[in-house]
Amino acid sequence: MKEDIIRIQKLYQDNGATILRVKTFNVLKTNIIEKGIGTLAIEYQYLNAIKKYLQNTKFDLVLYSTPPITFVKVIKYIKNRDGAFSYLLLKDIFPQNAVDMKMLKKDGVLHKMFLKKEKNYTKYQML
């Protein structure tokens, strides 16, 4: 799909599935500042898009992959609104992997903020 389509917020149908494209900041292949701002903003960008375009859509299941820290409020919103189940596809552990790669300072402000968000994992169903 064309890059410009991915950056535009849009709801459409494709092969029987409803697709919501959410305009976000760049979080891939960019500098650490832009990636950090984009990572912090993405949760609110998705939440606002869901409330705007999918307010009448009921979800039974939310599938998501790591790192879900940036989507905790989105998942919680859908679970509370629709009574949906959630399923985490675990690939790596964040924020520990960011500390290991020296992207975050252990026990620094950002590390503590993400650790606090990480505690929300326990609120999701375990399969």
Side-chain angles (χ1 to χ4, degrees), residues 19-45:
I19 309 292
L20 174 61
R21 295 278 184 195
V22 179
K23 183 177 179 180
T24 64
F25 295 112
N26 190 9
V27 295
L28 301 173
K29 298 180 183 176
T30 188
N31 65 64
I32 194 163
I33 303 295
E34 187 176 357
K35 184 173 185 166
I37 292 168
T39 299
L40 293 174
I42 199 166
E43 179 173 57
Y44 298 100
Q45 293 167 322

PDB file of all heavy atoms in Angstrom, residues 19-45:
ATOM      1  N   ILE A  19     -11.137  -1.509   8.090  1.00  0.00           N
ATOM      2  CA  ILE A  19      -9.777  -1.069   8.397  1.00  0.00           C
ATOM      3  C   ILE A  19      -9.823   0.398   8.807  1.00  0.00           C
ATOM      4  O   ILE A  19     -10.421   1.225   8.102  1.00  0.00           O
ATOM      5  CB  ILE A  19      -8.850  -1.197   7.161  1.00  0.00           C
ATOM      6  CG1 ILE A  19      -8.927  -2.590   6.543  1.00  0.00           C
ATOM      7  CG2 ILE A  19      -7.424  -0.776   7.516  1.00  0.00           C
ATOM      8  CD1 ILE A  19      -8.353  -3.689   7.390  1.00  0.00           C
ATOM      9  N   LEU A  20      -9.200   0.718   9.919  1.00  0.00           N
ATOM     10  CA  LEU A  20      -9.057   2.101  10.361  1.00  0.00           C
ATOM     11  C   LEU A  20      -7.577   2.455  10.301  1.00  0.00           C
ATOM     12  O   LEU A  20      -6.769   1.880  11.031  1.00  0.00           O
ATOM     13  CB  LEU A  20      -9.586   2.290  11.789  1.00  0.00           C
ATOM     14  CG  LEU A  20      -9.359   3.674  12.409  1.00  0.00           C
ATOM     15  CD1 LEU A  20     -10.058   4.765  11.590  1.00  0.00           C
ATOM     16  CD2 LEU A  20      -9.845   3.684  13.846  1.00  0.00           C
ATOM     17  N   ARG A  21      -7.226   3.353   9.423  1.00  0.00           N
ATOM     18  CA  ARG A  21      -5.854   3.860   9.336  1.00  0.00           C
ATOM     19  C   ARG A  21      -5.779   5.074  10.254  1.00  0.00           C
ATOM     20  O   ARG A  21      -6.599   5.981  10.147  1.00  0.00           O
ATOM     21  CB  ARG A  21      -5.512   4.282   7.899  1.00  0.00           C
ATOM     22  CG  ARG A  21      -5.495   3.137   6.945  1.00  0.00           C
ATOM     23  CD  ARG A  21      -4.182   2.420   7.033  1.00  0.00           C
ATOM     24  NE  ARG A  21      -4.150   1.373   6.020  1.00  0.00           N
ATOM     25  CZ  ARG A  21      -3.275   0.407   6.033  1.00  0.00           C
ATOM     26  NH1 ARG A  21      -2.358   0.364   6.952  1.00  0.00           N
ATOM     27  NH2 ARG A  21      -3.307  -0.526   5.122  1.00  0.00           N
ATOM     28  N   VAL A  22      -4.803   5.085  11.136  1.00  0.00           N
ATOM     29  CA  VAL A  22      -4.658   6.166  12.100  1.00  0.00           C
ATOM     30  C   VAL A  22      -3.391   6.948  11.791  1.00  0.00           C
ATOM     31  O   VAL A  22      -2.299   6.381  11.733  1.00  0.00           O
ATOM     32  CB  VAL A  22      -4.606   5.618  13.545  1.00  0.00           C
ATOM     33  CG1 VAL A  22      -4.438   6.754  14.543  1.00  0.00           C
ATOM     34  CG2 VAL A  22      -5.867   4.818  13.855  1.00  0.00           C
ATOM     35  N   LYS A  23      -3.541   8.247  11.600  1.00  0.00           N
ATOM     36  CA  LYS A  23      -2.392   9.111  11.357  1.00  0.00           C
ATOM     37  C   LYS A  23      -1.599   9.236  12.657  1.00  0.00           C
ATOM     38  O   LYS A  23      -2.145   9.611  13.694  1.00  0.00           O
ATOM     39  CB  LYS A  23      -2.846  10.494  10.875  1.00  0.00           C
ATOM     40  CG  LYS A  23      -1.709  11.406  10.527  1.00  0.00           C
ATOM     41  CD  LYS A  23      -2.209  12.723   9.984  1.00  0.00           C
ATOM     42  CE  LYS A  23      -1.036  13.624   9.665  1.00  0.00           C
ATOM     43  NZ  LYS A  23      -1.470  14.911   9.137  1.00  0.00           N
ATOM     44  N   THR A  24      -0.322   8.903  12.584  1.00  0.00           N
ATOM     45  CA  THR A  24       0.542   8.952  13.767  1.00  0.00           C
ATOM     46  C   THR A  24       1.835   9.672  13.436  1.00  0.00           C
ATOM     47  O   THR A  24       2.161   9.905  12.271  1.00  0.00           O
ATOM     48  CB  THR A  24       0.896   7.539  14.268  1.00  0.00           C
ATOM     49  OG1 THR A  24       1.661   6.871  13.269  1.00  0.00           O
ATOM     50  CG2 THR A  24      -0.344   6.737  14.617  1.00  0.00           C
ATOM     51  N   PHE A  25       2.577   9.998  14.483  1.00  0.00           N
ATOM     52  CA  PHE A  25       3.922  10.519  14.277  1.00  0.00           C
ATOM     53  C   PHE A  25       4.817   9.351  13.853  1.00  0.00           C
ATOM     54  O   PHE A  25       4.476   8.183  14.045  1.00  0.00           O
ATOM     55  CB  PHE A  25       4.467  11.135  15.566  1.00  0.00           C
ATOM     56  CG  PHE A  25       3.711  12.354  16.014  1.00  0.00           C
ATOM     57  CD1 PHE A  25       2.954  12.329  17.167  1.00  0.00           C
ATOM     58  CD2 PHE A  25       3.779  13.536  15.281  1.00  0.00           C
ATOM     59  CE1 PHE A  25       2.259  13.450  17.586  1.00  0.00           C
ATOM     60  CE2 PHE A  25       3.083  14.652  15.693  1.00  0.00           C
ATOM     61  CZ  PHE A  25       2.320  14.624  16.854  1.00  0.00           C
ATOM     62  N   ASN A  26       5.964   9.659  13.328  1.00  0.00           N
ATOM     63  CA  ASN A  26       6.904   8.637  12.892  1.00  0.00           C
ATOM     64  C   ASN A  26       7.535   7.955  14.117  1.00  0.00           C
ATOM     65  O   ASN A  26       8.140   8.619  14.946  1.00  0.00           O
ATOM     66  CB  ASN A  26       7.986   9.268  12.016  1.00  0.00           C
ATOM     67  CG  ASN A  26       8.845   8.241  11.333  1.00  0.00           C
ATOM     68  OD1 ASN A  26       8.561   7.046  11.352  1.00  0.00           O
ATOM     69  ND2 ASN A  26       9.907   8.691  10.725  1.00  0.00           N
ATOM     70  N   VAL A  27       7.390   6.631  14.226  1.00  0.00           N
ATOM     71  CA  VAL A  27       8.011   5.888  15.330  1.00  0.00           C
ATOM     72  C   VAL A  27       8.990   4.827  14.831  1.00  0.00           C
ATOM     73  O   VAL A  27       9.576   4.114  15.629  1.00  0.00           O
ATOM     74  CB  VAL A  27       6.949   5.227  16.261  1.00  0.00           C
ATOM     75  CG1 VAL A  27       6.123   6.272  16.972  1.00  0.00           C
ATOM     76  CG2 VAL A  27       6.062   4.270  15.496  1.00  0.00           C
ATOM     77  N   LEU A  28       9.166   4.756  13.529  1.00  0.00           N
ATOM     78  CA  LEU A  28      10.088   3.779  12.949  1.00  0.00           C
ATOM     79  C   LEU A  28      11.181   4.492  12.159  1.00  0.00           C
ATOM     80  O   LEU A  28      10.919   5.467  11.467  1.00  0.00           O
ATOM     81  CB  LEU A  28       9.341   2.817  12.025  1.00  0.00           C
ATOM     82  CG  LEU A  28       8.211   2.018  12.659  1.00  0.00           C
ATOM     83  CD1 LEU A  28       7.460   1.251  11.583  1.00  0.00           C
ATOM     84  CD2 LEU A  28       8.743   1.074  13.699  1.00  0.00           C
ATOM     85  N   LYS A  29      12.374   3.979  12.260  1.00  0.00           N
ATOM     86  CA  LYS A  29      13.508   4.484  11.477  1.00  0.00           C
ATOM     87  C   LYS A  29      13.637   6.000  11.577  1.00  0.00           C
ATOM     88  O   LYS A  29      13.667   6.710  10.558  1.00  0.00           O
ATOM     89  CB  LYS A  29      13.385   4.036  10.020  1.00  0.00           C
ATOM     90  CG  LYS A  29      13.425   2.530   9.874  1.00  0.00           C
ATOM     91  CD  LYS A  29      13.296   2.106   8.428  1.00  0.00           C
ATOM     92  CE  LYS A  29      13.262   0.589   8.337  1.00  0.00           C
ATOM     93  NZ  LYS A  29      13.051   0.110   6.989  1.00  0.00           N
ATOM     94  N   THR A  30      13.683   6.510  12.782  1.00  0.00           N
ATOM     95  CA  THR A  30      13.826   7.935  13.019  1.00  0.00           C
ATOM     96  C   THR A  30      14.722   8.154  14.231  1.00  0.00           C
ATOM     97  O   THR A  30      15.148   7.193  14.873  1.00  0.00           O
ATOM     98  CB  THR A  30      12.447   8.602  13.202  1.00  0.00           C
ATOM     99  OG1 THR A  30      12.610  10.012  13.249  1.00  0.00           O
ATOM    100  CG2 THR A  30      11.744   8.128  14.455  1.00  0.00           C
ATOM    101  N   ASN A  31      14.968   9.401  14.579  1.00  0.00           N
ATOM    102  CA  ASN A  31      15.819   9.675  15.737  1.00  0.00           C
ATOM    103  C   ASN A  31      15.061   9.410  17.035  1.00  0.00           C
ATOM    104  O   ASN A  31      13.834   9.313  17.050  1.00  0.00           O
ATOM    105  CB  ASN A  31      16.367  11.111  15.687  1.00  0.00           C
ATOM    106  CG  ASN A  31      15.263  12.145  15.815  1.00  0.00           C
ATOM    107  OD1 ASN A  31      14.590  12.243  16.828  1.00  0.00           O
ATOM    108  ND2 ASN A  31      15.078  12.938  14.753  1.00  0.00           N
ATOM    109  N   ILE A  32      15.789   9.314  18.122  1.00  0.00           N
ATOM    110  CA  ILE A  32      15.207   8.906  19.402  1.00  0.00           C
ATOM    111  C   ILE A  32      14.203   9.926  19.937  1.00  0.00           C
ATOM    112  O   ILE A  32      13.221   9.555  20.583  1.00  0.00           O
ATOM    113  CB  ILE A  32      16.319   8.598  20.427  1.00  0.00           C
ATOM    114  CG1 ILE A  32      15.734   7.856  21.619  1.00  0.00           C
ATOM    115  CG2 ILE A  32      17.052   9.851  20.854  1.00  0.00           C
ATOM    116  CD1 ILE A  32      16.757   7.167  22.468  1.00  0.00           C
ATOM    117  N   ILE A  33      14.404  11.202  19.644  1.00  0.00           N
ATOM    118  CA  ILE A  33      13.477  12.246  20.106  1.00  0.00           C
ATOM    119  C   ILE A  33      12.129  12.104  19.410  1.00  0.00           C
ATOM    120  O   ILE A  33      11.082  12.066  20.061  1.00  0.00           O
ATOM    121  CB  ILE A  33      14.065  13.664  19.862  1.00  0.00           C
ATOM    122  CG1 ILE A  33      15.416  13.835  20.546  1.00  0.00           C
ATOM    123  CG2 ILE A  33      13.075  14.744  20.277  1.00  0.00           C
ATOM    124  CD1 ILE A  33      15.384  13.768  22.046  1.00  0.00           C
ATOM    125  N   GLU A  34      12.146  12.011  18.090  1.00  0.00           N
ATOM    126  CA  GLU A  34      10.908  11.858  17.331  1.00  0.00           C
ATOM    127  C   GLU A  34      10.203  10.554  17.691  1.00  0.00           C
ATOM    128  O   GLU A  34       8.985  10.515  17.838  1.00  0.00           O
ATOM    129  CB  GLU A  34      11.195  11.907  15.829  1.00  0.00           C
ATOM    130  CG  GLU A  34       9.936  11.914  14.982  1.00  0.00           C
ATOM    131  CD  GLU A  34      10.206  12.063  13.495  1.00  0.00           C
ATOM    132  OE1 GLU A  34      11.370  12.215  13.096  1.00  0.00           O
ATOM    133  OE2 GLU A  34       9.223  12.014  12.731  1.00  0.00           O
ATOM    134  N   LYS A  35      10.984   9.490  17.850  1.00  0.00           N
ATOM    135  CA  LYS A  35      10.399   8.203  18.230  1.00  0.00           C
ATOM    136  C   LYS A  35       9.764   8.288  19.619  1.00  0.00           C
ATOM    137  O   LYS A  35       8.672   7.763  19.840  1.00  0.00           O
ATOM    138  CB  LYS A  35      11.467   7.104  18.209  1.00  0.00           C
ATOM    139  CG  LYS A  35      10.900   5.732  18.498  1.00  0.00           C
ATOM    140  CD  LYS A  35      11.936   4.657  18.311  1.00  0.00           C
ATOM    141  CE  LYS A  35      11.293   3.294  18.485  1.00  0.00           C
ATOM    142  NZ  LYS A  35      12.128   2.219  18.002  1.00  0.00           N
ATOM    143  N   GLY A  36      10.427   8.968  20.552  1.00  0.00           N
ATOM    144  CA  GLY A  36       9.878   9.113  21.905  1.00  0.00           C
ATOM    145  C   GLY A  36       8.582   9.886  21.921  1.00  0.00           C
ATOM    146  O   GLY A  36       7.603   9.475  22.558  1.00  0.00           O
ATOM    147  N   ILE A  37       8.546  11.000  21.210  1.00  0.00           N
ATOM    148  CA  ILE A  37       7.319  11.804  21.138  1.00  0.00           C
ATOM    149  C   ILE A  37       6.205  10.998  20.468  1.00  0.00           C
ATOM    150  O   ILE A  37       5.068  10.973  20.943  1.00  0.00           O
ATOM    151  CB  ILE A  37       7.583  13.124  20.387  1.00  0.00           C
ATOM    152  CG1 ILE A  37       8.505  14.025  21.219  1.00  0.00           C
ATOM    153  CG2 ILE A  37       6.270  13.847  20.068  1.00  0.00           C
ATOM    154  CD1 ILE A  37       9.060  15.217  20.474  1.00  0.00           C
ATOM    155  N   GLY A  38       6.539  10.327  19.382  1.00  0.00           N
ATOM    156  CA  GLY A  38       5.552   9.519  18.673  1.00  0.00           C
ATOM    157  C   GLY A  38       5.018   8.376  19.524  1.00  0.00           C
ATOM    158  O   GLY A  38       3.824   8.081  19.510  1.00  0.00           O
ATOM    159  N   THR A  39       5.905   7.749  20.293  1.00  0.00           N
ATOM    160  CA  THR A  39       5.503   6.634  21.169  1.00  0.00           C
ATOM    161  C   THR A  39       4.562   7.119  22.263  1.00  0.00           C
ATOM    162  O   THR A  39       3.582   6.443  22.595  1.00  0.00           O
ATOM    163  CB  THR A  39       6.746   5.964  21.774  1.00  0.00           C
ATOM    164  OG1 THR A  39       7.551   5.456  20.710  1.00  0.00           O
ATOM    165  CG2 THR A  39       6.363   4.826  22.706  1.00  0.00           C
ATOM    166  N   LEU A  40       4.841   8.279  22.829  1.00  0.00           N
ATOM    167  CA  LEU A  40       3.971   8.822  23.881  1.00  0.00           C
ATOM    168  C   LEU A  40       2.624   9.279  23.321  1.00  0.00           C
ATOM    169  O   LEU A  40       1.610   9.190  24.006  1.00  0.00           O
ATOM    170  CB  LEU A  40       4.664   9.980  24.592  1.00  0.00           C
ATOM    171  CG  LEU A  40       5.894   9.604  25.417  1.00  0.00           C
ATOM    172  CD1 LEU A  40       6.583  10.855  25.943  1.00  0.00           C
ATOM    173  CD2 LEU A  40       5.525   8.667  26.567  1.00  0.00           C
ATOM    174  N   ALA A  41       2.595   9.747  22.083  1.00  0.00           N
ATOM    175  CA  ALA A  41       1.361  10.277  21.496  1.00  0.00           C
ATOM    176  C   ALA A  41       0.467   9.215  20.872  1.00  0.00           C
ATOM    177  O   ALA A  41      -0.746   9.409  20.769  1.00  0.00           O
ATOM    178  CB  ALA A  41       1.714  11.320  20.427  1.00  0.00           C
ATOM    179  N   ILE A  42       1.023   8.078  20.482  1.00  0.00           N
ATOM    180  CA  ILE A  42       0.280   7.103  19.673  1.00  0.00           C
ATOM    181  C   ILE A  42      -0.966   6.565  20.393  1.00  0.00           C
ATOM    182  O   ILE A  42      -2.010   6.348  19.770  1.00  0.00           O
ATOM    183  CB  ILE A  42       1.199   5.953  19.201  1.00  0.00           C
ATOM    184  CG1 ILE A  42       0.570   5.224  18.007  1.00  0.00           C
ATOM    185  CG2 ILE A  42       1.540   4.992  20.330  1.00  0.00           C
ATOM    186  CD1 ILE A  42       1.544   4.315  17.282  1.00  0.00           C
ATOM    187  N   GLU A  43      -0.888   6.392  21.697  1.00  0.00           N
ATOM    188  CA  GLU A  43      -2.035   5.888  22.454  1.00  0.00           C
ATOM    189  C   GLU A  43      -3.234   6.832  22.305  1.00  0.00           C
ATOM    190  O   GLU A  43      -4.361   6.399  22.065  1.00  0.00           O
ATOM    191  CB  GLU A  43      -1.634   5.747  23.922  1.00  0.00           C
ATOM    192  CG  GLU A  43      -2.717   5.251  24.832  1.00  0.00           C
ATOM    193  CD  GLU A  43      -2.178   4.991  26.219  1.00  0.00           C
ATOM    194  OE1 GLU A  43      -1.617   5.904  26.847  1.00  0.00           O
ATOM    195  OE2 GLU A  43      -2.317   3.840  26.674  1.00  0.00           O
ATOM    196  N   TYR A  44      -3.003   8.125  22.432  1.00  0.00           N
ATOM    197  CA  TYR A  44      -4.079   9.114  22.329  1.00  0.00           C
ATOM    198  C   TYR A  44      -4.573   9.255  20.894  1.00  0.00           C
ATOM    199  O   TYR A  44      -5.767   9.462  20.665  1.00  0.00           O
ATOM    200  CB  TYR A  44      -3.603  10.460  22.881  1.00  0.00           C
ATOM    201  CG  TYR A  44      -3.251  10.347  24.346  1.00  0.00           C
ATOM    202  CD1 TYR A  44      -1.927  10.221  24.747  1.00  0.00           C
ATOM    203  CD2 TYR A  44      -4.247  10.319  25.307  1.00  0.00           C
ATOM    204  CE1 TYR A  44      -1.601  10.075  26.082  1.00  0.00           C
ATOM    205  CE2 TYR A  44      -3.925  10.172  26.654  1.00  0.00           C
ATOM    206  CZ  TYR A  44      -2.603  10.055  27.036  1.00  0.00           C
ATOM    207  OH  TYR A  44      -2.284   9.904  28.362  1.00  0.00           O
ATOM    208  N   GLN A  45      -3.677   9.106  19.925  1.00  0.00           N
ATOM    209  CA  GLN A  45      -4.084   9.172  18.520  1.00  0.00           C
ATOM    210  C   GLN A  45      -5.033   8.020  18.181  1.00  0.00           C
ATOM    211  O   GLN A  45      -6.049   8.226  17.513  1.00  0.00           O
ATOM    212  CB  GLN A  45      -2.859   9.161  17.614  1.00  0.00           C
ATOM    213  CG  GLN A  45      -2.020  10.432  17.747  1.00  0.00           C
ATOM    214  CD  GLN A  45      -0.660  10.321  17.100  1.00  0.00           C
ATOM    215  OE1 GLN A  45      -0.020   9.281  17.152  1.00  0.00           O
ATOM    216  NE2 GLN A  45      -0.201  11.403  16.500  1.00  0.00           N
TER     217      GLN A  45
END
